[in-house]
Amino acid sequence: MACNRYLPVVMFENGKLSCSLQTNLFKVTNNFDFDKKIIRRGTQSMKWDVPDGDDVIPMWVADMDFQAAPAIRRALAERVSHGVFGYELVPESYYQAIVSWFKRRHDWTIDRNWIIYTSGVVPATSAAIKALTLPGDNVLVQSPAYNCFFSSIRNQGCQILETSLRPDGDSFVMDWDDFEAKCALEKTTVFLLCNPHNPTGRVWTAEELSHMNDICLRHGVKVVSDEIHCELVMPGYRFTPFASVSEECRDNSVILNSPSKSFNIAGLQIANIICRNDEWRRRIDRVINIFEVCDVNPFGPVALEAAYNESEDWLDALNAYIFDNYSFLKDTLRRELPQLGVTRLEGTYLVWVNTASLGLPSDVIADRLLRDGRVMVSAGTMYGEKDGRDYIRLNIACPRATLEEGLRRIAATLKPLAK
Protein backbone atom coordinates (compact mmCIF):
# COMPACT_ATOMS: atom_id res chain seq x y z
CA MET A 1 0.00 0.00 0.00
CA ALA A 2 1.22 3.44 -0.90
CA CYS A 3 0.99 4.77 2.66
CA ASN A 4 3.80 2.43 3.68
CA ARG A 5 6.22 4.20 1.36
CA TYR A 6 6.35 7.17 3.71
CA LEU A 7 8.62 7.09 6.74
CA PRO A 8 8.28 10.49 8.46
CA VAL A 9 11.41 11.82 10.11
CA VAL A 10 10.27 14.52 12.51
CA MET A 11 12.33 17.35 13.96
CA PHE A 12 11.55 20.68 15.59
CA GLU A 13 13.60 23.62 14.42
CA ASN A 14 12.91 27.18 15.60
CA GLY A 15 9.40 26.22 16.65
CA LYS A 16 8.52 24.68 13.28
CA LEU A 17 7.90 21.09 12.36
CA SER A 18 10.25 19.75 9.71
CA CYS A 19 8.97 16.49 8.27
CA SER A 20 11.15 14.61 5.80
CA LEU A 21 9.14 12.06 3.84
CA GLN A 22 11.56 9.37 2.73
CA THR A 23 10.88 6.76 0.09
CA ASN A 24 13.10 4.38 -1.76
CA LEU A 25 12.96 6.72 -4.76
CA PHE A 26 13.07 10.24 -3.41
CA LYS A 27 13.16 12.49 -0.39
CA VAL A 28 10.96 15.57 0.02
CA THR A 29 11.32 18.02 2.90
CA ASN A 30 8.71 20.63 3.80
CA ASN A 31 8.31 23.03 6.68
CA PHE A 32 4.80 23.68 7.96
CA ASP A 33 4.25 25.94 10.96
CA PHE A 34 1.63 24.09 12.99
CA ASP A 35 2.75 26.07 16.05
CA LYS A 36 1.44 29.29 14.50
CA LYS A 37 -1.53 30.59 16.49
CA ILE A 38 -4.43 31.61 14.25
CA ILE A 39 -6.97 33.92 15.89
CA ARG A 40 -10.35 32.30 15.29
CA ARG A 41 -12.49 33.95 17.94
CA GLY A 42 -14.70 36.58 16.34
CA THR A 43 -14.72 34.81 12.94
CA GLN A 44 -18.11 33.10 13.49
CA SER A 45 -16.25 29.91 14.40
CA MET A 46 -18.51 27.26 15.93
CA LYS A 47 -15.54 25.98 17.91
CA TRP A 48 -14.36 29.32 19.30
CA ASP A 49 -17.42 31.61 19.31
CA VAL A 50 -20.05 29.28 20.77
CA PRO A 51 -18.42 28.90 24.21
CA ASP A 52 -19.64 31.54 26.66
CA GLY A 53 -16.85 34.01 27.25
CA ASP A 54 -13.72 35.09 25.42
CA ASP A 55 -11.39 33.33 27.85
CA VAL A 56 -12.51 29.75 27.14
CA ILE A 57 -10.14 27.28 25.46
CA PRO A 58 -12.24 25.02 23.21
CA MET A 59 -11.15 21.39 23.03
CA TRP A 60 -14.50 19.98 21.98
CA VAL A 61 -15.87 19.99 18.40
CA ALA A 62 -13.78 18.15 15.79
CA ASP A 63 -12.14 20.82 13.73
CA MET A 64 -8.50 21.89 13.75
CA ASP A 65 -6.89 25.21 14.60
CA PHE A 66 -4.36 24.93 11.77
CA GLN A 67 -4.50 26.73 8.44
CA ALA A 68 -5.33 24.50 5.50
CA ALA A 69 -2.50 23.21 3.33
CA PRO A 70 -0.83 25.87 1.13
CA ALA A 71 -2.02 24.24 -2.10
CA ILE A 72 -5.63 24.39 -0.88
CA ARG A 73 -5.35 28.04 0.07
CA ARG A 74 -3.80 28.90 -3.29
CA ALA A 75 -6.50 27.05 -5.24
CA LEU A 76 -9.28 28.74 -3.28
CA ALA A 77 -7.69 32.18 -3.70
CA GLU A 78 -7.54 31.62 -7.45
CA ARG A 79 -11.19 30.59 -7.52
CA VAL A 80 -12.20 33.63 -5.44
CA SER A 81 -10.30 35.95 -7.78
CA HIS A 82 -12.62 34.93 -10.62
CA GLY A 83 -15.38 36.73 -8.72
CA VAL A 84 -18.41 34.80 -10.02
CA PHE A 85 -19.90 32.09 -7.81
CA GLY A 86 -22.83 30.56 -9.64
CA TYR A 87 -24.15 27.02 -9.66
CA GLU A 88 -21.35 24.48 -9.78
CA LEU A 89 -20.67 21.68 -12.25
CA VAL A 90 -18.38 19.07 -10.70
CA PRO A 91 -15.65 18.35 -13.29
CA GLU A 92 -14.25 15.00 -14.32
CA SER A 93 -10.95 15.98 -12.69
CA TYR A 94 -12.75 15.87 -9.32
CA TYR A 95 -13.53 12.17 -9.73
CA GLN A 96 -10.04 11.43 -10.98
CA ALA A 97 -8.52 13.11 -7.90
CA ILE A 98 -10.55 10.78 -5.66
CA VAL A 99 -9.75 7.65 -7.65
CA SER A 100 -6.04 8.50 -7.79
CA TRP A 101 -5.79 9.38 -4.08
CA PHE A 102 -7.33 6.20 -2.76
CA LYS A 103 -5.37 4.00 -5.15
CA ARG A 104 -2.10 5.75 -4.34
CA ARG A 105 -2.63 6.18 -0.64
CA HIS A 106 -4.65 3.10 0.30
CA ASP A 107 -4.39 0.67 -2.63
CA TRP A 108 -8.16 0.84 -3.11
CA THR A 109 -9.41 0.75 -6.70
CA ILE A 110 -12.56 2.83 -7.12
CA ASP A 111 -14.65 3.04 -10.27
CA ARG A 112 -15.48 6.66 -11.00
CA ASN A 113 -19.14 5.68 -11.51
CA TRP A 114 -19.43 4.48 -7.90
CA ILE A 115 -19.04 8.06 -6.58
CA ILE A 116 -21.92 10.33 -5.56
CA TYR A 117 -20.92 13.74 -4.25
CA THR A 118 -22.91 15.58 -1.59
CA SER A 119 -22.53 18.34 0.96
CA GLY A 120 -21.34 16.38 4.00
CA VAL A 121 -20.87 13.01 5.63
CA VAL A 122 -23.76 13.53 8.06
CA PRO A 123 -26.28 14.12 5.22
CA ALA A 124 -24.67 11.15 3.44
CA THR A 125 -25.21 8.99 6.54
CA SER A 126 -28.87 9.95 6.72
CA ALA A 127 -29.33 9.32 2.98
CA ALA A 128 -27.73 5.87 3.16
CA ILE A 129 -29.89 4.86 6.13
CA LYS A 130 -33.04 6.16 4.45
CA ALA A 131 -32.23 4.31 1.21
CA LEU A 132 -31.34 0.97 2.80
CA THR A 133 -33.88 0.61 5.63
CA LEU A 134 -37.58 0.71 6.37
CA PRO A 135 -39.05 2.69 9.27
CA GLY A 136 -38.74 0.66 12.46
CA ASP A 137 -35.62 -1.22 11.35
CA ASN A 138 -32.66 -1.53 13.72
CA VAL A 139 -29.44 0.28 12.79
CA LEU A 140 -26.52 -1.16 14.76
CA VAL A 141 -23.73 1.11 16.06
CA GLN A 142 -20.59 0.54 18.12
CA SER A 143 -21.02 2.32 21.44
CA PRO A 144 -19.63 4.75 22.42
CA ALA A 145 -20.60 6.20 19.03
CA TYR A 146 -20.30 9.50 17.20
CA ASN A 147 -23.27 11.50 18.47
CA CYS A 148 -24.68 12.40 15.04
CA PHE A 149 -25.17 8.68 14.35
CA PHE A 150 -27.98 8.70 16.90
CA SER A 151 -29.82 11.65 15.33
CA SER A 152 -29.34 10.34 11.78
CA ILE A 153 -30.89 7.00 12.76
CA ARG A 154 -33.82 8.55 14.64
CA ASN A 155 -34.50 11.06 11.87
CA GLN A 156 -35.07 8.22 9.41
CA GLY A 157 -37.58 6.53 11.69
CA CYS A 158 -35.23 3.69 12.65
CA GLN A 159 -34.29 2.22 16.00
CA ILE A 160 -30.82 2.62 17.51
CA LEU A 161 -29.23 -0.68 18.49
CA GLU A 162 -25.92 -0.54 20.35
CA THR A 163 -23.13 -3.07 20.67
CA SER A 164 -20.70 -1.92 23.34
CA LEU A 165 -17.00 -1.85 22.59
CA ARG A 166 -15.08 -3.65 25.31
CA PRO A 167 -12.20 -1.94 27.15
CA ASP A 168 -8.96 -3.84 26.61
CA GLY A 169 -5.99 -2.32 28.41
CA ASP A 170 -5.60 1.19 27.04
CA SER A 171 -7.75 0.46 23.99
CA PHE A 172 -11.08 -1.05 22.90
CA VAL A 173 -12.06 -4.21 21.06
CA MET A 174 -15.24 -5.65 19.59
CA ASP A 175 -17.48 -7.89 21.67
CA TRP A 176 -17.96 -10.37 18.84
CA ASP A 177 -20.62 -12.47 20.55
CA ASP A 178 -22.76 -9.44 21.30
CA PHE A 179 -22.17 -8.03 17.80
CA GLU A 180 -23.40 -11.25 16.19
CA ALA A 181 -26.39 -11.49 18.52
CA LYS A 182 -27.43 -7.95 17.56
CA CYS A 183 -26.91 -8.62 13.84
CA ALA A 184 -29.04 -11.75 14.13
CA LEU A 185 -32.10 -9.82 15.28
CA GLU A 186 -34.78 -9.84 12.59
CA LYS A 187 -35.13 -6.06 12.44
CA THR A 188 -31.38 -5.34 12.16
CA THR A 189 -30.74 -4.34 8.54
CA VAL A 190 -27.78 -1.90 8.65
CA PHE A 191 -24.53 -1.78 10.61
CA LEU A 192 -23.25 1.80 10.83
CA LEU A 193 -19.49 1.45 11.20
CA CYS A 194 -17.09 4.24 12.20
CA ASN A 195 -13.64 3.59 10.65
CA PRO A 196 -11.44 4.98 12.24
CA HIS A 197 -13.64 5.02 15.30
CA ASN A 198 -14.81 8.24 16.91
CA PRO A 199 -14.51 8.69 19.89
CA THR A 200 -12.19 5.81 20.93
CA GLY A 201 -9.56 6.40 18.23
CA ARG A 202 -9.44 2.76 17.09
CA VAL A 203 -8.18 2.06 13.57
CA TRP A 204 -9.81 -1.24 12.66
CA THR A 205 -7.55 -3.87 11.12
CA ALA A 206 -8.31 -5.64 7.86
CA GLU A 207 -8.91 -8.82 9.84
CA GLU A 208 -11.43 -7.12 12.12
CA LEU A 209 -13.24 -5.54 9.17
CA SER A 210 -13.42 -8.87 7.38
CA HIS A 211 -14.86 -10.55 10.48
CA MET A 212 -17.47 -7.79 10.83
CA ASN A 213 -18.56 -8.35 7.25
CA ASP A 214 -18.68 -12.15 7.60
CA ILE A 215 -21.11 -11.76 10.50
CA CYS A 216 -23.16 -9.14 8.65
CA LEU A 217 -23.43 -11.35 5.55
CA ARG A 218 -24.60 -14.29 7.65
CA HIS A 219 -27.53 -12.23 8.86
CA GLY A 220 -28.33 -10.11 5.82
CA VAL A 221 -26.99 -6.85 7.33
CA LYS A 222 -25.65 -4.10 5.07
CA VAL A 223 -22.59 -2.08 6.14
CA VAL A 224 -22.46 1.71 5.97
CA SER A 225 -18.93 2.84 6.84
CA ASP A 226 -18.19 6.42 7.92
CA GLU A 227 -14.52 6.91 7.00
CA ILE A 228 -14.25 10.68 7.40
CA HIS A 229 -11.17 10.39 9.68
CA CYS A 230 -9.42 7.95 7.35
CA GLU A 231 -6.28 10.03 6.74
CA LEU A 232 -5.65 10.83 10.41
CA VAL A 233 -3.62 7.80 11.43
CA MET A 234 -0.81 7.66 13.95
CA PRO A 235 2.60 6.00 13.45
CA GLY A 236 2.48 2.21 13.52
CA TYR A 237 -1.13 1.97 12.31
CA ARG A 238 -2.66 1.54 8.89
CA PHE A 239 -6.10 2.63 7.75
CA THR A 240 -7.91 0.03 5.66
CA PRO A 241 -10.97 1.14 3.65
CA PHE A 242 -13.76 -1.32 4.42
CA ALA A 243 -14.51 -1.85 0.73
CA SER A 244 -10.87 -2.66 -0.04
CA VAL A 245 -10.69 -5.73 2.22
CA SER A 246 -12.37 -8.16 -0.18
CA GLU A 247 -14.94 -8.36 -2.95
CA GLU A 248 -17.46 -9.44 -0.32
CA CYS A 249 -16.79 -6.33 1.74
CA ARG A 250 -16.93 -4.13 -1.36
CA ASP A 251 -20.28 -5.54 -2.47
CA ASN A 252 -21.88 -5.35 0.97
CA SER A 253 -20.96 -1.77 1.83
CA VAL A 254 -21.54 1.91 1.30
CA ILE A 255 -18.51 4.08 2.06
CA LEU A 256 -18.80 7.69 3.24
CA ASN A 257 -15.73 9.89 3.15
CA SER A 258 -14.52 13.44 2.77
CA PRO A 259 -11.28 15.43 2.98
CA SER A 260 -12.99 17.75 5.47
CA LYS A 261 -11.52 16.44 8.73
CA SER A 262 -8.07 15.52 7.48
CA PHE A 263 -7.46 18.78 5.62
CA ASN A 264 -9.50 21.08 7.91
CA ILE A 265 -12.01 22.18 5.29
CA ALA A 266 -15.28 21.10 6.95
CA GLY A 267 -16.87 24.49 6.30
CA LEU A 268 -16.53 23.99 2.54
CA GLN A 269 -19.21 21.28 2.61
CA ILE A 270 -17.98 18.47 0.37
CA ALA A 271 -18.23 14.69 0.80
CA ASN A 272 -18.59 11.52 -1.21
CA ILE A 273 -20.64 8.34 -1.10
CA ILE A 274 -18.91 5.37 -2.75
CA CYS A 275 -21.02 2.33 -3.54
CA ARG A 276 -20.38 -0.60 -5.87
CA ASN A 277 -23.94 -1.99 -5.72
CA ASP A 278 -25.88 -0.42 -8.59
CA GLU A 279 -29.30 -0.77 -6.97
CA TRP A 280 -28.20 0.62 -3.62
CA ARG A 281 -26.45 3.49 -5.38
CA ARG A 282 -29.57 4.30 -7.39
CA ARG A 283 -31.65 4.38 -4.21
CA ILE A 284 -29.11 6.53 -2.36
CA ASP A 285 -28.88 8.96 -5.28
CA ARG A 286 -32.67 9.25 -5.26
CA VAL A 287 -32.66 10.08 -1.54
CA ILE A 288 -29.87 12.62 -2.00
CA ASN A 289 -32.13 14.40 -4.48
CA ILE A 290 -35.20 14.11 -2.24
CA PHE A 291 -33.18 15.58 0.65
CA GLU A 292 -31.97 18.31 -1.77
CA VAL A 293 -28.30 17.88 -0.84
CA CYS A 294 -27.33 17.04 -4.41
CA ASP A 295 -25.63 20.37 -5.15
CA VAL A 296 -22.31 21.64 -3.82
CA ASN A 297 -20.78 25.10 -3.58
CA PRO A 298 -18.01 26.36 -5.91
CA PHE A 299 -15.25 25.89 -3.34
CA GLY A 300 -15.64 22.30 -2.12
CA PRO A 301 -14.56 20.55 -5.34
CA VAL A 302 -11.62 22.96 -5.78
CA ALA A 303 -10.40 22.27 -2.25
CA LEU A 304 -10.78 18.49 -2.64
CA GLU A 305 -8.67 18.43 -5.81
CA ALA A 306 -5.95 20.56 -4.21
CA ALA A 307 -5.97 18.33 -1.13
CA TYR A 308 -5.77 15.01 -2.94
CA ASN A 309 -3.49 16.13 -5.78
CA GLU A 310 -1.05 18.46 -4.02
CA SER A 311 -1.19 18.19 -0.22
CA GLU A 312 0.04 14.73 0.75
CA ASP A 313 3.24 16.06 2.30
CA TRP A 314 1.27 18.51 4.45
CA LEU A 315 -0.96 15.66 5.67
CA ASP A 316 2.01 13.50 6.67
CA ALA A 317 3.52 16.41 8.58
CA LEU A 318 0.16 17.07 10.25
CA ASN A 319 -0.12 13.48 11.48
CA ALA A 320 3.38 13.69 12.92
CA TYR A 321 2.47 16.89 14.77
CA ILE A 322 -0.77 15.42 16.14
CA PHE A 323 1.08 12.35 17.37
CA ASP A 324 3.59 14.56 19.16
CA ASN A 325 0.71 16.48 20.76
CA TYR A 326 -0.77 13.15 21.87
CA SER A 327 2.55 12.13 23.43
CA PHE A 328 2.69 15.48 25.22
CA LEU A 329 -0.85 14.99 26.55
CA LYS A 330 -0.05 11.50 27.81
CA ASP A 331 3.09 12.69 29.59
CA THR A 332 1.28 15.68 31.13
CA LEU A 333 -1.68 13.70 32.45
CA ARG A 334 0.58 10.92 33.72
CA ARG A 335 2.44 13.52 35.73
CA GLU A 336 -0.43 15.78 36.83
CA LEU A 337 -3.45 13.44 36.92
CA PRO A 338 -2.23 9.84 37.03
CA GLN A 339 -5.71 8.79 38.18
CA LEU A 340 -7.06 9.34 34.65
CA GLY A 341 -6.74 6.75 31.90
CA VAL A 342 -5.67 7.89 28.43
CA THR A 343 -6.92 5.66 25.62
CA ARG A 344 -4.33 4.73 23.00
CA LEU A 345 -4.69 7.00 19.97
CA GLU A 346 -4.47 5.02 16.73
CA GLY A 347 -6.38 7.46 14.55
CA THR A 348 -8.26 10.81 14.58
CA TYR A 349 -7.11 13.75 16.71
CA LEU A 350 -9.65 13.04 19.45
CA VAL A 351 -8.41 11.57 22.73
CA TRP A 352 -10.79 9.47 24.86
CA VAL A 353 -9.91 9.96 28.55
CA ASN A 354 -11.27 7.78 31.37
CA THR A 355 -12.38 9.89 34.33
CA ALA A 356 -14.11 7.13 36.36
CA SER A 357 -11.68 7.56 39.26
CA LEU A 358 -13.07 11.05 39.91
CA GLY A 359 -16.42 9.57 40.91
CA LEU A 360 -18.57 11.94 38.81
CA PRO A 361 -20.35 11.41 35.49
CA SER A 362 -18.64 12.98 32.50
CA ASP A 363 -21.29 15.63 31.90
CA VAL A 364 -20.74 16.95 35.44
CA ILE A 365 -16.97 16.95 34.88
CA ALA A 366 -17.36 18.78 31.56
CA ASP A 367 -19.60 21.40 33.18
CA ARG A 368 -17.06 21.93 35.97
CA LEU A 369 -14.19 22.26 33.51
CA LEU A 370 -16.11 24.93 31.62
CA ARG A 371 -17.27 26.79 34.71
CA ASP A 372 -14.12 26.64 36.82
CA GLY A 373 -11.34 25.88 34.36
CA ARG A 374 -12.64 27.84 31.37
CA VAL A 375 -11.88 24.93 29.06
CA MET A 376 -14.55 23.24 26.96
CA VAL A 377 -14.41 19.48 26.38
CA SER A 378 -16.97 16.95 25.14
CA ALA A 379 -18.75 14.89 27.78
CA GLY A 380 -18.64 11.19 27.01
CA THR A 381 -22.39 10.90 27.60
CA MET A 382 -22.86 12.56 24.19
CA TYR A 383 -21.58 9.31 22.68
CA GLY A 384 -23.62 6.92 24.79
CA GLU A 385 -25.25 7.32 28.20
CA LYS A 386 -23.81 4.03 29.48
CA ASP A 387 -20.57 3.60 27.54
CA GLY A 388 -19.59 7.27 27.70
CA ARG A 389 -20.46 8.01 31.31
CA ASP A 390 -16.87 7.69 32.54
CA TYR A 391 -15.08 9.49 29.69
CA ILE A 392 -14.38 12.90 28.24
CA ARG A 393 -13.19 13.58 24.69
CA LEU A 394 -10.37 16.05 24.01
CA ASN A 395 -9.52 17.61 20.65
CA ILE A 396 -5.73 17.98 20.40
CA ALA A 397 -5.54 19.40 16.85
CA CYS A 398 -4.22 22.76 17.96
CA PRO A 399 -0.87 24.52 18.41
CA ARG A 400 1.20 23.15 21.26
CA ALA A 401 0.84 26.33 23.30
CA THR A 402 -2.96 26.05 23.21
CA LEU A 403 -2.81 22.40 24.21
CA GLU A 404 -0.40 23.13 27.03
CA GLU A 405 -2.65 25.83 28.49
CA GLY A 406 -5.75 23.69 28.10
CA LEU A 407 -4.12 20.79 29.93
CA ARG A 408 -2.85 23.12 32.67
CA ARG A 409 -6.42 24.28 33.28
CA ILE A 410 -7.78 20.73 33.21
CA ALA A 411 -5.21 19.61 35.76
CA ALA A 412 -5.83 22.56 38.05
CA THR A 413 -9.60 21.99 37.97
CA LEU A 414 -9.63 18.22 38.38
CA LYS A 415 -6.80 17.70 40.88
CA PRO A 416 -9.04 18.55 43.88
CA LEU A 417 -11.47 15.83 42.74
CA ALA A 418 -8.69 13.27 42.46
CA LYS A 419 -7.68 13.46 46.14
Side-chain angles (χ1 to χ4, degrees):
M1 295 174 68
C3 57
N4 288 336
R5 294 184 297 116
Y6 294 91
L7 302 174
V9 179
V10 183
M11 298 175 291
F12 282 88
E13 299 175 349
N14 300 320
K16 294 186 179 182
L17 179 72
S18 174
C19 185
S20 300
L21 305 175
Q22 299 182 354
T23 75
N24 57 349
L25 297 178
F26 59 91
K27 175 180 176 181
V28 180
T29 302
N30 281 290
N31 290 295
F32 302 106
D33 190 1
F34 295 107
D35 283 328
K36 181 180 180 181
K37 189 171 183 179
I38 308 298
I39 303 302
R40 300 186 64 192
R41 200 181 303 279
T43 64
Q44 306 307 310
S45 162
M46 177 179 290
K47 182 178 182 180
W48 284 85
D49 290 324
V50 169
D52 182 21
D54 59 6
D55 62 337
V56 173
I57 292 181
M59 299 178 70
W60 64 294
V61 70
D63 79 2
M64 299 191 283
D65 291 329
F66 309 125
Q67 288 185 327
I72 296 174
R73 304 204 308 272
R74 286 194 301 268
L76 290 173
E78 182 178 346
R79 182 65 184 86
V80 167
S81 70
H82 182 261
V84 180
F85 312 113
Y87 297 118
E88 183 77 3
L89 285 175
V90 173
E92 187 61 29
S93 56
Y94 172 91
Y95 298 97
Q96 293 308 314
I98 297 167
V99 170
S100 175
W101 174 268
F102 282 99
K103 181 60 179 176
R104 182 175 74 251
R105 186 90 177 174
H106 301 296
D107 198 26
W108 178 24
T109 301
I110 301 172
D111 187 303
R112 170 253 184 271
N113 295 312
W114 301 348
I115 302 170
I116 302 171
Y117 61 80
T118 187
S119 57
V121 165
V122 172
T125 303
S126 294
I129 294 170
K130 182 73 171 179
L132 301 178
T133 65
L134 293 173
D137 282 356
N138 293 332
V139 177
L140 181 61
V141 300
Q142 302 153 306
S143 182
Y146 172 47
N147 55 297
C148 285
F149 280 7
F150 300 124
S151 56
S152 290
I153 294 167
R154 291 192 191 101
N155 289 343
Q156 307 319 311
C158 293
Q159 302 299 313
I160 299 164
L161 186 62
E162 299 178 52
T163 179
S164 296
L165 296 176
R166 183 163 53 83
D168 182 40
D170 63 350
S171 188
F172 288 81
V173 296
M174 292 284 289
D175 182 335
W176 293 111
D177 290 339
D178 184 69
F179 179 70
E180 177 139 26
K182 300 289 174 59
C183 284
L185 295 175
E186 182 181 358
K187 284 187 171 292
T188 305
T189 54
V190 165
F191 167 42
L192 183 52
L193 168 66
C194 198
N195 177 35
H197 187 264
N198 172 17
T200 70
R202 270 302 316 273
V203 174
W204 304 110
T205 66
E207 292 74 20
E208 288 171 315
L209 297 173
S210 180
H211 193 32
M212 291 175 196
N213 193 58
D214 289 343
I215 293 171
C216 286
L217 285 175
R218 272 201 296 275
H219 301 288
V221 176
K222 306 173 184 69
V223 179
V224 176
S225 184
D226 174 353
E227 301 186 353
I228 195 171
H229 291 277
C230 67
E231 308 305 341
L232 298 162
V233 177
M234 300 299 100
Y237 298 94
R238 172 190 294 179
F239 166 73
T240 303
F242 184 89
S244 73
V245 174
S246 65
E247 290 185 5
E248 292 78 12
C249 287
R250 180 197 66 190
D251 294 343
N252 191 45
S253 64
V254 176
I255 308 303
L256 316 176
N257 62 36
S258 169
S260 61
K261 295 296 183 190
S262 304
F263 292 94
N264 205 29
I265 53 173
L268 298 182
Q269 301 285 290
I270 193 71
N272 296 289
I273 302 167
I274 303 173
C275 179
R276 164 66 175 79
N277 186 297
D278 292 338
E279 174 59 19
W280 296 359
R281 193 171 63 254
R282 183 193 66 77
R283 286 155 59 181
I284 293 168
D285 190 49
R286 177 63 180 152
V287 174
I288 288 288
N289 281 271
I290 291 171
F291 285 179
E292 297 179 338
V293 286
C294 51
D295 294 318
V296 293
N297 67 69
F299 304 110
V302 169
L304 179 144
E305 289 192 49
Y308 286 166
N309 292 338
E310 303 178 69
S311 303
E312 195 162 3
D313 53 351
W314 180 91
L315 177 65
D316 287 310
L318 168 73
N319 279 330
Y321 190 90
I322 290 171
F323 182 72
D324 202 67
N325 268 359
Y326 169 65
S327 299
F328 178 81
L329 176 144
K330 279 202 307 179
D331 290 344
T332 300
L333 293 185
R334 185 185 300 115
R335 181 178 66 251
E336 301 294 334
L337 285 166
Q339 300 86 352
L340 304 188
V342 179
T343 301
R344 183 168 71 242
L345 188 67
E346 300 176 2
T348 81
Y349 47 72
L350 307 165
V351 184
W352 194 234
V353 177
N354 189 321
T355 57
S357 63
L358 303 182
L360 294 172
S362 63
D363 53 348
V364 174
I365 291 172
D367 287 345
R368 185 167 298 191
L369 285 171
L370 180 58
R371 184 191 68 215
D372 299 339
R374 309 306 288 158
V375 58
M376 190 172 185
V377 305
S378 295
T381 47
M382 290 179 59
Y383 312 101
E385 288 293 330
K386 176 174 70 74
D387 294 312
R389 183 186 186 277
D390 292 329
Y391 292 85
I392 58 174
R393 195 190 76 169
L394 304 179
N395 178 348
I396 62 169
C398 58
R400 174 60 59 79
T402 303
L403 177 63
E404 186 171 358
E405 175 61 17
L407 293 175
R408 185 194 67 77
R409 296 183 186 191
I410 289 171
T413 305
L414 297 185
K415 271 185 177 181
L417 300 177
K419 293 181 179 179

